[in-house]
Amino acid sequence: MKTLSKNRINNTRYLAIAIMLGFMVLLLSGTASAQAPTKGKKVAKIPQATLKETKITASVITAVDEISPMKIRLNVLNPTGKSVRISIRNYEGIAVFADDFRGREYTKILNFNSILLGQYTLRVNAPKQFETRRFLVDSKRNRILYQADLQGKNNPEIMTAIHISYPTKIMLHLVNNTGKPVSYVLRNEKKEAIYQGVIKTTHFSKIFDLMEATDGKYTVDVNYQAEKVASRTFDMRTSFNRSFTWTDKRGRPLTKAGQTVASMEAID
């Protein structure tokens, strides 16, 4: 009898476990069927974000530094990595210098000591942009006087000063306490008189301008009663110096601040 009752209890337990397992299977199958899409019906798709590549436009940057009166250092930064053309053209549009590069940086020293005088344009052509800078190569005439030591006989009654008052001008200043006339004369190296006169006043001053005179030696003499009181020789020399000047479109010189500002022009 004890064995029979134990078997009944075990059978009851197995039946309960079987019922629970069957219930769980039904529950899981119902959930799966609920999630499955129904045939013939459209199911909304989940939208996905689309990433678009951002276009970055890099600009070519040009810098120009004057390292001496007729030399400049050209530096071009090229973050695009594309071909950049550099050229210098004269006023007729003829290229006197041209170069191309694809690197990230370009550096070159340009010497204008041997270039012909005239108006030029420096141009940097980059993808979808270009940069221009205009400059003038000119020659300036400089006229300078050089003076020798003052010569003459010392006369306490006549005080004479003969010296350069400007690069091309000679100053003659005289104090005459003799009460008698004193003469002066300016001669070239051929001994030809250019300026001359007689001083009858106590104080006298005169300027001789030799700006348009030819190169050579000039002498100013001050004479009193047939004797030379004072004398000084001057040497006139002319030099031509080449100059480099940044200009605007009309050829007018730019200010110092304007030299660092280039005219950027975009290509449509």
Side-chain angles (χ1 to χ4, degrees):
M1 292 295 293
K2 291 182 179 180
T3 303
L4 182 61
S5 58
K6 287 182 180 180
N7 290 335
R8 289 179 179 176
I9 294 172
N10 290 335
N11 291 335
T12 304
R13 289 179 181 175
Y14 293 149
L15 181 61
I17 293 172
I19 294 172
M20 291 180 65
L21 289 174
F23 179 76
M24 292 178 65
V25 170
L26 291 174
L27 180 64
L28 291 174
S29 63
T31 305
S33 61
Q35 292 180 351
T38 306
K39 291 183 179 181
K41 293 184 179 180
K42 294 183 179 180
V43 180
K45 295 182 180 180
I46 300 175
Q48 296 180 354
T50 302
L51 297 178
K52 293 183 179 179
E53 182 180 358
T54 303
K55 295 183 179 180
I56 301 175
T57 303
S59 299
V60 172
I61 302 174
T62 303
V64 181
D65 298 316
E66 295 184 44
I67 58 178
S68 68
M70 293 302 297
K71 291 182 180 180
I72 65 172
R73 180 187 291 108
L74 174 64
N75 182 262
V76 181
L77 299 179
N78 179 25
T80 67
K82 298 182 180 180
S83 178
V84 176
R85 182 170 181 81
I86 299 169
S87 62
I88 296 178
R89 298 181 180 273
N90 60 17
Y91 67 97
E92 294 178 342
I94 300 173
V96 298
F97 171 81
D99 201 0
D100 296 272
F101 79 102
R102 288 179 175 271
R104 296 292 180 177
E105 185 174 7
Y106 176 93
T107 301
K108 190 173 185 65
I109 294 177
L110 301 173
N111 188 342
F112 301 111
N113 278 306
S114 59
I115 198 171
L116 295 177
L117 304 181
Q119 190 77 32
Y120 293 89
T121 300
L122 170 64
R123 179 163 173 147
V124 179
N125 280 71
K128 295 186 178 180
Q129 75 175 94
F130 67 86
E131 182 177 342
T132 58
R133 300 180 186 224
R134 296 169 178 83
F135 61 91
L136 174 68
V137 176
D138 200 2
S139 180
K140 295 182 179 179
R141 186 181 73 156
N142 295 322
R143 310 215 67 201
I144 302 176
L145 277 171
Y146 299 89
Q147 63 184 23
D149 294 336
L150 185 65
Q151 306 292 329
K153 184 178 180 180
N154 185 22
N155 188 326
E157 293 184 313
I158 302 176
M159 293 178 288
T160 306
I162 310 171
H163 58 87
I164 297 172
S165 64
Y166 195 73
T168 62
K169 295 181 181 180
I170 299 172
M171 166 67 77
L172 168 63
H173 183 73
L174 181 70
V175 177
N176 178 16
N177 293 318
T178 66
K180 297 179 181 180
V182 176
S183 64
Y184 67 90
V185 59
L186 170 64
R187 302 178 187 273
N188 58 22
E189 56 186 353
K190 295 180 181 180
K191 306 301 181 182
E192 299 171 338
I194 300 176
Y195 297 100
Q196 58 184 348
V198 177
I199 305 169
K200 297 181 180 180
T201 59
T202 303
H203 296 275
F204 176 82
S205 295
K206 185 172 181 63
I207 294 177
F208 306 104
D209 191 353
L210 301 182
M211 181 62 186
E212 302 303 325
T214 58
D215 287 358
K217 296 186 182 297
Y218 296 84
T219 303
V220 177
D221 293 329
V222 176
N223 302 310
Y224 172 67
Q225 293 183 346
E227 72 175 11
K228 188 177 294 184
V229 177
S231 177
R232 182 163 244 166
T233 299
F234 301 85
D235 188 6
M236 169 63 77
R237 300 178 189 176
T238 302
S239 63
F240 293 90
N241 298 328
R242 296 171 70 86
S243 62
F244 177 93
T245 308
W246 295 108
T247 65
D248 59 12
K249 292 182 179 180
R250 298 182 180 180
R252 298 173 299 186
L254 294 176
T255 61
K256 191 170 184 62
Q259 292 180 10
T260 59
V261 179
S263 56
M264 292 297 298
E265 303 174 46
I267 300 177
D268 296 331

